[in-house]
Amino acid sequence: LGLGFAALTSSHSGSLFDAMVKQQLVNNGLAVCLTDTAGDLILGLPPNAASRLQNVQWAPMVNPAKFYALNMTDFRINKKSVGVDPSIYNVPGQGCIVDTGTAVPSLPKPAFDVLRTVLLSSCSGATPLVGMCGVKANETLLDG
């Protein structure tokens, strides 16, 4: 979709969304909502968005001129903290970059290790995870 900031685009002209905001076709708002069953990307919050998004928790951007970055305070799996200190995720003054368009998500090694352990521990459950369960230890989905 191309939501990168103008400074990051090859033409330095911004994205389609930036143009729509400049032309006042949509309000300048972006929301990413991930749940245990689905996810939503909301662009250009409509005028009645406030009433529909009352329970949304908003995180201010750390560096709104360049990247979608915020100060990450925790990483949870099944509502349980992985126990990694927030300083591991955040670069001082720059926060943690949130890239909803990447096909290659990355985590700091301490959080990645916990994620791997949690996913592998689910292999004894009723619904084994494809790519994690029933494969050699060094050939899981997380081994690239």
Side-chain angles (χ1 to χ4, degrees), residues 8-25:
L8 301 176
T9 63
S10 60
S11 66
H12 298 287
S13 61
S15 67
L16 172 63
F17 181 68
D18 289 330
M20 292 171 68
V21 170
K22 286 179 186 174
Q23 294 176 28
Q24 298 182 343
L25 297 173

Side-chain angles (χ1 to χ4, degrees), residues 68-107:
Y68 295 105
L70 49 84
N71 282 315
M72 189 163 166
T73 58
D74 201 1
F75 179 66
R76 296 174 184 222
I77 301 172
N78 290 332
K79 299 180 182 177
K80 184 178 178 189
S81 174
V82 299
V84 175
D85 189 272
S87 66
I88 299 295
Y89 301 108
N90 300 301
V91 175
Q94 297 177 28
C96 170
I97 295 174
V98 178
D99 186 352
T100 60
T102 186
V104 185
S106 62
L107 288 170

Side-chain angles (χ1 to χ4, degrees), residues 29-96:
L30 167 87
V32 178
C33 178
L34 302 174
T35 69
D36 58 346
T37 58
D40 291 312
L41 173 63
I42 303 168
L43 300 173
L45 301 177
N48 63 348
S51 63
R52 291 185 17 228
L53 302 173
Q54 290 177 6
N55 295 324
V56 172
Q57 294 180 348
W58 298 94
M61 291 177 26
V62 175
N63 184 357
K66 194 168 183 184
F67 296 107
Y68 295 105
L70 49 84
N71 282 315
M72 189 163 166
T73 58
D74 201 1
F75 179 66
R76 296 174 184 222
I77 301 172
N78 290 332
K79 299 180 182 177
K80 184 178 178 189
S81 174
V82 299
V84 175
D85 189 272
S87 66
I88 299 295
Y89 301 108
N90 300 301
V91 175
Q94 297 177 28
C96 170

